PDB file of all heavy atoms in Angstrom:
ATOM      1  N   ALA A  74     -32.834 -26.593  66.774  1.00 67.00           N
ATOM      2  CA  ALA A  74     -33.449 -27.588  67.648  1.00 67.00           C
ATOM      3  C   ALA A  74     -32.400 -28.511  68.252  1.00 67.00           C
ATOM      4  O   ALA A  74     -32.451 -28.864  69.436  1.00 67.00           O
ATOM      5  CB  ALA A  74     -34.490 -28.392  66.863  1.00 67.00           C
ATOM      6  N   GLU A  75     -31.422 -28.919  67.429  1.00 66.00           N
ATOM      7  CA  GLU A  75     -30.369 -29.809  67.910  1.00 66.00           C
ATOM      8  C   GLU A  75     -29.495 -29.125  68.940  1.00 66.00           C
ATOM      9  O   GLU A  75     -29.066 -29.719  69.925  1.00 66.00           O
ATOM     10  CB  GLU A  75     -29.518 -30.286  66.728  1.00 66.00           C
ATOM     11  CG  GLU A  75     -28.395 -31.244  67.143  1.00 66.00           C
ATOM     12  CD  GLU A  75     -27.561 -31.671  65.952  1.00 66.00           C
ATOM     13  OE1 GLU A  75     -27.907 -31.257  64.822  1.00 66.00           O
ATOM     14  OE2 GLU A  75     -26.589 -32.396  66.140  1.00 66.00           O
ATOM     15  N   ALA A  76     -29.224 -27.830  68.715  1.00 59.00           N
ATOM     16  CA  ALA A  76     -28.328 -27.109  69.621  1.00 59.00           C
ATOM     17  C   ALA A  76     -29.015 -26.728  70.921  1.00 59.00           C
ATOM     18  O   ALA A  76     -28.357 -26.430  71.911  1.00 59.00           O
ATOM     19  CB  ALA A  76     -27.811 -25.852  68.929  1.00 59.00           C
ATOM     20  N   LEU A  77     -30.346 -26.731  70.938  1.00 58.00           N
ATOM     21  CA  LEU A  77     -31.098 -26.306  72.120  1.00 58.00           C
ATOM     22  C   LEU A  77     -31.935 -27.461  72.665  1.00 58.00           C
ATOM     23  O   LEU A  77     -33.151 -27.366  72.768  1.00 58.00           O
ATOM     24  CB  LEU A  77     -32.004 -25.121  71.773  1.00 58.00           C
ATOM     25  CG  LEU A  77     -31.296 -23.837  71.330  1.00 58.00           C
ATOM     26  CD1 LEU A  77     -32.321 -22.808  70.928  1.00 58.00           C
ATOM     27  CD2 LEU A  77     -30.425 -23.292  72.449  1.00 58.00           C
ATOM     28  N   GLN A  78     -31.307 -28.569  72.967  1.00 58.00           N
ATOM     29  CA  GLN A  78     -32.041 -29.732  73.459  1.00 58.00           C
ATOM     30  C   GLN A  78     -32.913 -29.412  74.671  1.00 58.00           C
ATOM     31  O   GLN A  78     -34.058 -29.843  74.731  1.00 58.00           O
ATOM     32  CB  GLN A  78     -31.055 -30.861  73.798  1.00 58.00           C
ATOM     33  CG  GLN A  78     -30.352 -31.451  72.579  1.00 58.00           C
ATOM     34  CD  GLN A  78     -31.306 -32.071  71.577  1.00 58.00           C
ATOM     35  OE1 GLN A  78     -32.386 -32.519  71.945  1.00 58.00           O
ATOM     36  NE2 GLN A  78     -30.924 -32.078  70.312  1.00 58.00           N
ATOM     37  N   PRO A  79     -32.461 -28.621  75.648  1.00 53.00           N
ATOM     38  CA  PRO A  79     -33.331 -28.318  76.785  1.00 53.00           C
ATOM     39  C   PRO A  79     -34.559 -27.510  76.394  1.00 53.00           C
ATOM     40  O   PRO A  79     -35.543 -27.475  77.119  1.00 53.00           O
ATOM     41  CB  PRO A  79     -32.419 -27.502  77.716  1.00 53.00           C
ATOM     42  CG  PRO A  79     -31.031 -27.894  77.328  1.00 53.00           C
ATOM     43  CD  PRO A  79     -31.101 -28.118  75.845  1.00 53.00           C
ATOM     44  N   GLN A  80     -34.500 -26.821  75.236  1.00 46.00           N
ATOM     45  CA  GLN A  80     -35.627 -26.011  74.801  1.00 46.00           C
ATOM     46  C   GLN A  80     -36.458 -26.714  73.735  1.00 46.00           C
ATOM     47  O   GLN A  80     -37.237 -26.084  73.034  1.00 46.00           O
ATOM     48  CB  GLN A  80     -35.111 -24.679  74.225  1.00 46.00           C
ATOM     49  CG  GLN A  80     -34.198 -23.906  75.152  1.00 46.00           C
ATOM     50  CD  GLN A  80     -34.940 -23.357  76.352  1.00 46.00           C
ATOM     51  OE1 GLN A  80     -36.156 -23.231  76.296  1.00 46.00           O
ATOM     52  NE2 GLN A  80     -34.230 -23.036  77.419  1.00 46.00           N
ATOM     53  N   ALA A  81     -36.323 -28.029  73.608  1.00 43.00           N
ATOM     54  CA  ALA A  81     -36.936 -28.744  72.489  1.00 43.00           C
ATOM     55  C   ALA A  81     -38.450 -28.619  72.468  1.00 43.00           C
ATOM     56  O   ALA A  81     -39.071 -28.707  71.410  1.00 43.00           O
ATOM     57  CB  ALA A  81     -36.544 -30.232  72.556  1.00 43.00           C
ATOM     58  N   ALA A  82     -39.048 -28.410  73.608  1.00 47.00           N
ATOM     59  CA  ALA A  82     -40.510 -28.335  73.647  1.00 47.00           C
ATOM     60  C   ALA A  82     -41.040 -26.995  73.184  1.00 47.00           C
ATOM     61  O   ALA A  82     -42.242 -26.833  72.992  1.00 47.00           O
ATOM     62  CB  ALA A  82     -41.007 -28.603  75.070  1.00 47.00           C
ATOM     63  N   LEU A  83     -40.164 -26.016  73.016  1.00 47.00           N
ATOM     64  CA  LEU A  83     -40.605 -24.686  72.626  1.00 47.00           C
ATOM     65  C   LEU A  83     -40.716 -24.568  71.114  1.00 47.00           C
ATOM     66  O   LEU A  83     -40.000 -25.237  70.381  1.00 47.00           O
ATOM     67  CB  LEU A  83     -39.629 -23.629  73.144  1.00 47.00           C
ATOM     68  CG  LEU A  83     -39.490 -23.508  74.671  1.00 47.00           C
ATOM     69  CD1 LEU A  83     -38.444 -22.460  74.998  1.00 47.00           C
ATOM     70  CD2 LEU A  83     -40.817 -23.149  75.323  1.00 47.00           C
ATOM     71  N   ALA A  84     -41.573 -23.687  70.655  1.00 49.00           N
ATOM     72  CA  ALA A  84     -41.635 -23.358  69.227  1.00 49.00           C
ATOM     73  C   ALA A  84     -40.346 -22.652  68.849  1.00 49.00           C
ATOM     74  O   ALA A  84     -39.663 -22.079  69.706  1.00 49.00           O
ATOM     75  CB  ALA A  84     -42.836 -22.460  68.949  1.00 49.00           C
ATOM     76  N   PRO A  85     -39.962 -22.678  67.555  1.00 49.00           N
ATOM     77  CA  PRO A  85     -38.700 -22.041  67.148  1.00 49.00           C
ATOM     78  C   PRO A  85     -38.571 -20.606  67.600  1.00 49.00           C
ATOM     79  O   PRO A  85     -37.517 -20.205  68.103  1.00 49.00           O
ATOM     80  CB  PRO A  85     -38.748 -22.153  65.613  1.00 49.00           C
ATOM     81  CG  PRO A  85     -39.604 -23.355  65.359  1.00 49.00           C
ATOM     82  CD  PRO A  85     -40.624 -23.356  66.452  1.00 49.00           C
ATOM     83  N   ALA A  86     -39.626 -19.789  67.464  1.00 50.00           N
ATOM     84  CA  ALA A  86     -39.517 -18.389  67.860  1.00 50.00           C
ATOM     85  C   ALA A  86     -39.282 -18.271  69.354  1.00 50.00           C
ATOM     86  O   ALA A  86     -38.463 -17.472  69.822  1.00 50.00           O
ATOM     87  CB  ALA A  86     -40.777 -17.623  67.454  1.00 50.00           C
ATOM     88  N   ALA A  87     -39.992 -19.090  70.173  1.00 53.00           N
ATOM     89  CA  ALA A  87     -39.808 -19.047  71.617  1.00 53.00           C
ATOM     90  C   ALA A  87     -38.416 -19.525  71.993  1.00 53.00           C
ATOM     91  O   ALA A  87     -37.795 -19.018  72.934  1.00 53.00           O
ATOM     92  CB  ALA A  87     -40.876 -19.900  72.306  1.00 53.00           C
ATOM     93  N   ALA A  88     -37.925 -20.547  71.276  1.00 48.00           N
ATOM     94  CA  ALA A  88     -36.578 -21.045  71.548  1.00 48.00           C
ATOM     95  C   ALA A  88     -35.534 -19.977  71.280  1.00 48.00           C
ATOM     96  O   ALA A  88     -34.559 -19.842  72.020  1.00 48.00           O
ATOM     97  CB  ALA A  88     -36.304 -22.291  70.690  1.00 48.00           C
ATOM     98  N   ILE A  89     -35.730 -19.218  70.221  1.00 46.00           N
ATOM     99  CA  ILE A  89     -34.789 -18.135  69.924  1.00 46.00           C
ATOM    100  C   ILE A  89     -34.789 -17.108  71.043  1.00 46.00           C
ATOM    101  O   ILE A  89     -33.741 -16.663  71.516  1.00 46.00           O
ATOM    102  CB  ILE A  89     -35.146 -17.467  68.586  1.00 46.00           C
ATOM    103  CG1 ILE A  89     -34.922 -18.445  67.432  1.00 46.00           C
ATOM    104  CG2 ILE A  89     -34.303 -16.205  68.358  1.00 46.00           C
ATOM    105  CD1 ILE A  89     -35.434 -17.939  66.112  1.00 46.00           C
ATOM    106  N   ARG A  90     -36.012 -16.747  71.506  1.00 50.00           N
ATOM    107  CA  ARG A  90     -36.085 -15.759  72.585  1.00 50.00           C
ATOM    108  C   ARG A  90     -35.425 -16.284  73.843  1.00 50.00           C
ATOM    109  O   ARG A  90     -34.714 -15.569  74.542  1.00 50.00           O
ATOM    110  CB  ARG A  90     -37.545 -15.389  72.852  1.00 50.00           C
ATOM    111  CG  ARG A  90     -38.196 -14.577  71.742  1.00 50.00           C
ATOM    112  CD  ARG A  90     -39.519 -13.975  72.208  1.00 50.00           C
ATOM    113  NE  ARG A  90     -40.504 -15.003  72.506  1.00 50.00           N
ATOM    114  CZ  ARG A  90     -41.344 -15.490  71.596  1.00 50.00           C
ATOM    115  NH1 ARG A  90     -41.295 -15.057  70.352  1.00 50.00           N
ATOM    116  NH2 ARG A  90     -42.229 -16.410  71.930  1.00 50.00           N
ATOM    117  N   ALA A  91     -35.666 -17.566  74.151  1.00 52.00           N
ATOM    118  CA  ALA A  91     -35.059 -18.143  75.335  1.00 52.00           C
ATOM    119  C   ALA A  91     -33.543 -18.163  75.215  1.00 52.00           C
ATOM    120  O   ALA A  91     -32.820 -17.903  76.179  1.00 52.00           O
ATOM    121  CB  ALA A  91     -35.595 -19.567  75.551  1.00 52.00           C
ATOM    122  N   THR A  92     -33.066 -18.474  74.018  1.00 47.00           N
ATOM    123  CA  THR A  92     -31.619 -18.501  73.797  1.00 47.00           C
ATOM    124  C   THR A  92     -31.007 -17.126  73.998  1.00 47.00           C
ATOM    125  O   THR A  92     -29.958 -16.977  74.629  1.00 47.00           O
ATOM    126  CB  THR A  92     -31.320 -18.986  72.362  1.00 47.00           C
ATOM    127  OG1 THR A  92     -31.832 -20.307  72.216  1.00 47.00           O
ATOM    128  CG2 THR A  92     -29.819 -19.009  72.099  1.00 47.00           C
ATOM    129  N   LEU A  93     -31.650 -16.101  73.451  1.00 47.00           N
ATOM    130  CA  LEU A  93     -31.090 -14.757  73.549  1.00 47.00           C
ATOM    131  C   LEU A  93     -31.115 -14.222  74.965  1.00 47.00           C
ATOM    132  O   LEU A  93     -30.367 -13.295  75.285  1.00 47.00           O
ATOM    133  CB  LEU A  93     -31.850 -13.824  72.604  1.00 47.00           C
ATOM    134  CG  LEU A  93     -31.695 -14.144  71.122  1.00 47.00           C
ATOM    135  CD1 LEU A  93     -32.540 -13.194  70.278  1.00 47.00           C
ATOM    136  CD2 LEU A  93     -30.235 -14.075  70.691  1.00 47.00           C
ATOM    137  N   ARG A  94     -32.000 -14.788  75.835  1.00 51.00           N
ATOM    138  CA  ARG A  94     -32.020 -14.347  77.229  1.00 51.00           C
ATOM    139  C   ARG A  94     -30.903 -14.977  78.041  1.00 51.00           C
ATOM    140  O   ARG A  94     -30.568 -14.502  79.120  1.00 51.00           O
ATOM    141  CB  ARG A  94     -33.378 -14.685  77.857  1.00 51.00           C
ATOM    142  CG  ARG A  94     -34.509 -13.779  77.417  1.00 51.00           C
ATOM    143  CD  ARG A  94     -35.693 -13.896  78.371  1.00 51.00           C
ATOM    144  NE  ARG A  94     -36.249 -15.245  78.338  1.00 51.00           N
ATOM    145  CZ  ARG A  94     -37.249 -15.591  77.535  1.00 51.00           C
ATOM    146  NH1 ARG A  94     -37.751 -14.718  76.693  1.00 51.00           N
ATOM    147  NH2 ARG A  94     -37.723 -16.816  77.569  1.00 51.00           N
ATOM    148  N   ARG A  95     -30.332 -16.078  77.543  1.00 51.00           N
ATOM    149  CA  ARG A  95     -29.251 -16.738  78.272  1.00 51.00           C
ATOM    150  C   ARG A  95     -27.968 -15.942  78.139  1.00 51.00           C
ATOM    151  O   ARG A  95     -27.780 -15.216  77.164  1.00 51.00           O
ATOM    152  CB  ARG A  95     -29.054 -18.151  77.708  1.00 51.00           C
ATOM    153  CG  ARG A  95     -30.244 -19.068  77.945  1.00 51.00           C
ATOM    154  CD  ARG A  95     -30.183 -20.304  77.093  1.00 51.00           C
ATOM    155  NE  ARG A  95     -28.977 -21.102  77.340  1.00 51.00           N
ATOM    156  CZ  ARG A  95     -28.644 -22.179  76.613  1.00 51.00           C
ATOM    157  NH1 ARG A  95     -29.414 -22.542  75.618  1.00 51.00           N
ATOM    158  NH2 ARG A  95     -27.559 -22.841  76.896  1.00 51.00           N
ATOM    159  N   PRO A  96     -27.039 -16.061  79.108  1.00 50.00           N
ATOM    160  CA  PRO A  96     -25.739 -15.383  78.967  1.00 50.00           C
ATOM    161  C   PRO A  96     -25.067 -15.825  77.685  1.00 50.00           C
ATOM    162  O   PRO A  96     -25.155 -16.983  77.277  1.00 50.00           O
ATOM    163  CB  PRO A  96     -24.970 -15.848  80.209  1.00 50.00           C
ATOM    164  CG  PRO A  96     -26.025 -16.285  81.192  1.00 50.00           C
ATOM    165  CD  PRO A  96     -27.138 -16.838  80.349  1.00 50.00           C
ATOM    166  N   TRP A  97     -24.344 -14.891  77.050  1.00 41.00           N
ATOM    167  CA  TRP A  97     -23.751 -15.212  75.753  1.00 41.00           C
ATOM    168  C   TRP A  97     -22.802 -16.381  75.834  1.00 41.00           C
ATOM    169  O   TRP A  97     -22.680 -17.173  74.902  1.00 41.00           O
ATOM    170  CB  TRP A  97     -23.025 -13.980  75.199  1.00 41.00           C
ATOM    171  CG  TRP A  97     -21.794 -13.588  75.976  1.00 41.00           C
ATOM    172  CD1 TRP A  97     -21.724 -12.722  77.002  1.00 41.00           C
ATOM    173  CD2 TRP A  97     -20.453 -14.082  75.785  1.00 41.00           C
ATOM    174  NE1 TRP A  97     -20.455 -12.620  77.488  1.00 41.00           N
ATOM    175  CE2 TRP A  97     -19.634 -13.440  76.737  1.00 41.00           C
ATOM    176  CE3 TRP A  97     -19.879 -15.007  74.905  1.00 41.00           C
ATOM    177  CZ2 TRP A  97     -18.280 -13.694  76.852  1.00 41.00           C
ATOM    178  CZ3 TRP A  97     -18.528 -15.257  74.996  1.00 41.00           C
ATOM    179  CH2 TRP A  97     -17.729 -14.614  75.967  1.00 41.00           C
ATOM    180  N   PHE A  98     -22.135 -16.550  76.998  1.00 45.00           N
ATOM    181  CA  PHE A  98     -21.142 -17.624  77.092  1.00 45.00           C
ATOM    182  C   PHE A  98     -21.808 -18.979  77.297  1.00 45.00           C
ATOM    183  O   PHE A  98     -21.146 -20.008  77.248  1.00 45.00           O
ATOM    184  CB  PHE A  98     -20.157 -17.351  78.254  1.00 45.00           C
ATOM    185  CG  PHE A  98     -20.819 -16.963  79.560  1.00 45.00           C
ATOM    186  CD1 PHE A  98     -21.358 -17.943  80.394  1.00 45.00           C
ATOM    187  CD2 PHE A  98     -20.932 -15.637  79.931  1.00 45.00           C
ATOM    188  CE1 PHE A  98     -21.970 -17.589  81.576  1.00 45.00           C
ATOM    189  CE2 PHE A  98     -21.547 -15.287  81.114  1.00 45.00           C
ATOM    190  CZ  PHE A  98     -22.076 -16.260  81.953  1.00 45.00           C
ATOM    191  N   ALA A  99     -23.145 -18.990  77.564  1.00 47.00           N
ATOM    192  CA  ALA A  99     -23.862 -20.255  77.763  1.00 47.00           C
ATOM    193  C   ALA A  99     -24.544 -20.727  76.491  1.00 47.00           C
ATOM    194  O   ALA A  99     -25.142 -21.771  76.470  1.00 47.00           O
ATOM    195  CB  ALA A  99     -24.888 -20.104  78.887  1.00 47.00           C
ATOM    196  N   VAL A 100     -24.474 -19.939  75.443  1.00 47.00           N
ATOM    197  CA  VAL A 100     -25.140 -20.283  74.194  1.00 47.00           C
ATOM    198  C   VAL A 100     -24.161 -20.987  73.268  1.00 47.00           C
ATOM    199  O   VAL A 100     -23.079 -20.471  72.988  1.00 47.00           O
ATOM    200  CB  VAL A 100     -25.684 -19.018  73.500  1.00 47.00           C
ATOM    201  CG1 VAL A 100     -26.391 -19.398  72.201  1.00 47.00           C
ATOM    202  CG2 VAL A 100     -26.659 -18.294  74.434  1.00 47.00           C
ATOM    203  N   ARG A 101     -24.553 -22.139  72.773  1.00 52.00           N
ATOM    204  CA  ARG A 101     -23.686 -22.852  71.843  1.00 52.00           C
ATOM    205  C   ARG A 101     -23.574 -22.067  70.544  1.00 52.00           C
ATOM    206  O   ARG A 101     -24.553 -21.495  70.067  1.00 52.00           O
ATOM    207  CB  ARG A 101     -24.253 -24.243  71.563  1.00 52.00           C
ATOM    208  CG  ARG A 101     -24.218 -25.162  72.778  1.00 52.00           C
ATOM    209  CD  ARG A 101     -24.890 -26.482  72.491  1.00 52.00           C
ATOM    210  NE  ARG A 101     -24.253 -27.167  71.373  1.00 52.00           N
ATOM    211  CZ  ARG A 101     -24.707 -28.311  70.869  1.00 52.00           C
ATOM    212  NH1 ARG A 101     -25.781 -28.877  71.390  1.00 52.00           N
ATOM    213  NH2 ARG A 101     -24.103 -28.881  69.853  1.00 52.00           N
ATOM    214  N   PRO A 102     -22.391 -22.011  69.921  1.00 54.00           N
ATOM    215  CA  PRO A 102     -22.219 -21.232  68.684  1.00 54.00           C
ATOM    216  C   PRO A 102     -23.203 -21.615  67.599  1.00 54.00           C
ATOM    217  O   PRO A 102     -23.727 -20.761  66.897  1.00 54.00           O
ATOM    218  CB  PRO A 102     -20.770 -21.552  68.279  1.00 54.00           C
ATOM    219  CG  PRO A 102     -20.082 -21.889  69.573  1.00 54.00           C
ATOM    220  CD  PRO A 102     -21.124 -22.583  70.404  1.00 54.00           C
ATOM    221  N   ALA A 103     -23.476 -22.904  67.458  1.00 54.00           N
ATOM    222  CA  ALA A 103     -24.405 -23.323  66.401  1.00 54.00           C
ATOM    223  C   ALA A 103     -25.794 -22.766  66.640  1.00 54.00           C
ATOM    224  O   ALA A 103     -26.492 -22.343  65.718  1.00 54.00           O
ATOM    225  CB  ALA A 103     -24.450 -24.853  66.329  1.00 54.00           C
ATOM    226  N   ALA A 104     -26.206 -22.744  67.925  1.00 52.00           N
ATOM    227  CA  ALA A 104     -27.534 -22.214  68.231  1.00 52.00           C
ATOM    228  C   ALA A 104     -27.603 -20.736  67.944  1.00 52.00           C
ATOM    229  O   ALA A 104     -28.586 -20.235  67.389  1.00 52.00           O
ATOM    230  CB  ALA A 104     -27.862 -22.479  69.705  1.00 52.00           C
ATOM    231  N   LEU A 105     -26.566 -20.018  68.333  1.00 50.00           N
ATOM    232  CA  LEU A 105     -26.562 -18.577  68.098  1.00 50.00           C
ATOM    233  C   LEU A 105     -26.581 -18.269  66.604  1.00 50.00           C
ATOM    234  O   LEU A 105     -27.318 -17.401  66.146  1.00 50.00           O
ATOM    235  CB  LEU A 105     -25.319 -17.954  68.744  1.00 50.00           C
ATOM    236  CG  LEU A 105     -25.224 -16.435  68.693  1.00 50.00           C
ATOM    237  CD1 LEU A 105     -26.428 -15.809  69.376  1.00 50.00           C
ATOM    238  CD2 LEU A 105     -23.939 -15.951  69.340  1.00 50.00           C
ATOM    239  N   ALA A 106     -25.779 -18.996  65.822  1.00 55.00           N
ATOM    240  CA  ALA A 106     -25.726 -18.751  64.376  1.00 55.00           C
ATOM    241  C   ALA A 106     -27.066 -19.045  63.723  1.00 55.00           C
ATOM    242  O   ALA A 106     -27.568 -18.266  62.910  1.00 55.00           O
ATOM    243  CB  ALA A 106     -24.628 -19.610  63.748  1.00 55.00           C
ATOM    244  N   ALA A 107     -27.675 -20.169  64.087  1.00 52.00           N
ATOM    245  CA  ALA A 107     -28.952 -20.528  63.477  1.00 52.00           C
ATOM    246  C   ALA A 107     -30.046 -19.552  63.887  1.00 52.00           C
ATOM    247  O   ALA A 107     -30.860 -19.126  63.068  1.00 52.00           O
ATOM    248  CB  ALA A 107     -29.337 -21.955  63.886  1.00 52.00           C
ATOM    249  N   GLY A 108     -30.066 -19.184  65.165  1.00 53.00           N
ATOM    250  CA  GLY A 108     -31.085 -18.248  65.634  1.00 53.00           C
ATOM    251  C   GLY A 108     -30.973 -16.909  64.961  1.00 53.00           C
ATOM    252  O   GLY A 108     -31.963 -16.327  64.527  1.00 53.00           O
ATOM    253  N   LEU A 109     -29.752 -16.373  64.845  1.00 51.00           N
ATOM    254  CA  LEU A 109     -29.558 -15.080  64.207  1.00 51.00           C
ATOM    255  C   LEU A 109     -29.895 -15.138  62.727  1.00 51.00           C
ATOM    256  O   LEU A 109     -30.413 -14.172  62.166  1.00 51.00           O
ATOM    257  CB  LEU A 109     -28.112 -14.603  64.410  1.00 51.00           C
ATOM    258  CG  LEU A 109     -27.760 -14.193  65.842  1.00 51.00           C
ATOM    259  CD1 LEU A 109     -26.284 -13.806  65.934  1.00 51.00           C
ATOM    260  CD2 LEU A 109     -28.633 -13.054  66.327  1.00 51.00           C
ATOM    261  N   ALA A 110     -29.589 -16.263  62.072  1.00 53.00           N
ATOM    262  CA  ALA A 110     -29.906 -16.382  60.648  1.00 53.00           C
ATOM    263  C   ALA A 110     -31.409 -16.353  60.431  1.00 53.00           C
ATOM    264  O   ALA A 110     -31.919 -15.672  59.537  1.00 53.00           O
ATOM    265  CB  ALA A 110     -29.310 -17.676  60.083  1.00 53.00           C
TER     266      ALA A 110
END
Side-chain angles (χ1 to χ4, degrees):
E75 181 181 357
L77 297 176
Q78 292 299 333
Q80 306 291 340
L83 297 178
I89 293 172
R90 290 193 295 271
T92 299
L93 295 178
R94 285 197 296 267
R95 294 165 60 186
W97 68 268
F98 48 80
V100 181
R101 293 175 59 184
L105 185 59
L109 290 177

